[in-house]
């Protein structure tokens, strides 16, 4: 197995782990871009983002990982919107 195949295999395992059990996070994309694995997507909480990064660290160790993960803010506004 060459290094590209191994990287793709490990990415597939990472995706499977995100999709199962207590994580069930399907909004994260992981793909090889050059020599790095790039993680993209929007997560509901900082805690969920941290969990995804912890799983990435475990499943993708030894690979360069770049995370572009956003946290959606669901907090209500702190003041009324002014319409003009």
């Amino acid at each position: 197995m060459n290094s590209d195949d191994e990287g793709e295999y490990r990415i597939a395992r990472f995706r499977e782990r995100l999709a199962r059990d207590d994580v069930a996070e399907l909004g994260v994309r992981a793909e090889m871009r050059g020599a790095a694995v790039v993680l993209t997507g929007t997560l509901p909480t900082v805690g969920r983002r941290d969990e995804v990064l912890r799983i990435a660290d475990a499943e993708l160790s030894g690979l360069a990982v770049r995370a572009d993960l956003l946290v959606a803010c669901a907090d209500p506004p702190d003041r009324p919107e002014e319409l003009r």
Side-chain angles (χ1 to χ4, degrees):
M1 181 181 299
N2 68 35
S3 63
D4 288 343
D5 290 340
E6 180 182 350
E8 290 299 328
Y9 172 76
R10 291 174 66 193
I11 290 171
R13 280 186 43 160
F14 170 73
R15 288 179 186 142
E16 287 173 15
R17 191 162 168 195
L18 285 184
R20 67 180 169 175
D21 298 336
D22 59 330
V23 180
E25 187 55 63
L26 301 175
V28 174
R29 292 176 302 284
E31 60 188 10
M32 288 297 294
R33 290 192 191 162
V37 179
V38 178
L39 307 178
T40 57
T42 302
L43 297 157
T45 66
V46 171
R48 183 55 61 96
R49 182 193 64 200
D50 292 345
E51 179 70 7
V52 167
L53 293 175
R54 186 189 64 74
I55 293 169
D57 189 46
E59 294 292 333
L60 304 172
S61 67
L63 297 173
V65 176
R66 194 178 94 217
D68 188 13
L69 299 171
L70 303 175
V71 176
C73 180
D75 296 335
D78 60 351
R79 62 188 186 317
E81 181 180 3
E82 293 182 30
L83 300 176
R84 296 175 189 208

